[in-house]
Amino acid sequence: QVQLVESGGGLVQPGGSLRLSCAASGSIFNIYVMGWHRQSPGKQRELVAIVTNLGNTNYADSVKGRFTISRDNAKNTVYLQMNSLEPEDTAVYYCNMAISTMTTRYENYWGQGTQVTVSS
């Protein structure tokens, strides 16, 4: 089995910073794409940022220049550095990975979610 465990959420003032982490564990063979999504109350879940196994990244327009996604393949971990946070960034953040195991092809896995609240 594969599990994704997130950490790093919390309450921060506007203009502040947070760093989210998400570590995958289990019988992992390879992780192709790692990403972060978020969901605010009453809204659909939206893509925030992704990074491929080659290091290519893509960001939502709303976070470009403020958020940075990175990955540590040795640790099967993805990070999201969030700077210049705005109240509109308030949401539950979910990590997402496309993972192949010793016995399965790539499947999509999700973390449990971590709350980020930006408020003064």
Side-chain angles (χ1 to χ4, degrees):
Q1 286 192 348
V2 174
Q3 287 188 326
L4 273 57
V5 178
E6 303 171 11
S7 61
L11 173 64
V12 63
Q13 291 186 343
S17 298
L18 281 176
R19 188 191 194 208
L20 305 182
S21 301
C22 176
S25 61
S27 300
I28 296 169
F29 178 71
N30 191 40
I31 304 177
Y32 174 45
V33 177
M34 297 181 175
W36 290 93
H37 293 68
R38 67 186 180 186
Q39 188 167 19
S40 304
K43 294 186 178 180
Q44 290 188 337
R45 190 174 297 189
E46 64 175 353
L47 174 68
V48 176
I50 60 170
V51 57
T52 71
N53 57 339
L54 298 180
N56 298 315
T57 60
N58 194 26
Y59 296 90
D61 288 342
S62 60
V63 307
K64 283 181 180 177
R66 300 188 298 122
F67 291 9
T68 302
I69 189 169
S70 61
R71 61 189 283 168
D72 184 333
N73 293 325
K75 296 181 179 179
N76 293 329
T77 299
V78 62
Y79 305 96
L80 186 68
Q81 178 66 44
M82 304 184 293
N83 298 328
S84 302
L85 282 161
E86 304 169 352
E88 293 74 22
D89 295 316
T90 296
V92 178
Y93 284 70
Y94 299 90
C95 69
N96 167 248
M97 298 188 188
I99 299 174
S100 64
T101 69
M102 303 302 179
T103 58
T104 65
R105 293 185 178 183
Y106 285 107
E107 294 184 0
N108 213 21
Y109 294 87
W110 291 89
Q112 79 282 4
T114 185
Q115 177 70 45
V116 172
T117 302
V118 184
S119 175
S120 55

